[in-house]
Amino acid sequence: MEIALVLLWTATLVTVILLLLERLNNPVLAIALRFSLSLTFIGMGLGFFMTLPTPEQSSALAAGQSVLPSVKDA
């Protein structure tokens, strides 16, 4: 998941940079595209936090316990 996040985040960064450098004829379209892609880039950056362990998981790992959810038989 981290690799996919990094690849998509990097591709979005490249797209944002290229779009910022591109001269578009329609200024309203240019502002909308630049704003929306920049917002997407920032939002995708927040996806990195999903890959970090929670404090409870970190303490369980430090204690040598499993952090995977257990499957209970019904």
Side-chain angles (χ1 to χ4, degrees):
M1 184 170 162
E2 288 181 41
I3 294 171
L5 280 171
V6 170
L7 289 175
L8 289 173
W9 192 70
T10 305
T12 304
L13 175 63
V14 170
T15 305
V16 168
I17 291 172
L18 291 175
L19 188 59
L20 288 173
L21 297 175
E22 184 69 28
R23 180 140 174 94
L24 299 173
N25 293 334
N26 187 342
V28 175
L29 177 64
I31 290 171
L33 284 174
R34 290 173 181 153
F35 177 74
S36 62
L37 272 177
S38 298
L39 188 62
T40 301
F41 175 71
I42 293 168
M44 288 178 72
L46 296 175
F48 287 109
F49 292 114
M50 292 190 313
T51 62
L52 300 175
T54 63
E56 293 83 15
Q57 291 171 331
S58 295
S59 61
L61 286 171
Q65 299 172 348
S66 175
V67 294
L68 298 175
S70 61
V71 178
K72 296 181 180 179
D73 295 332

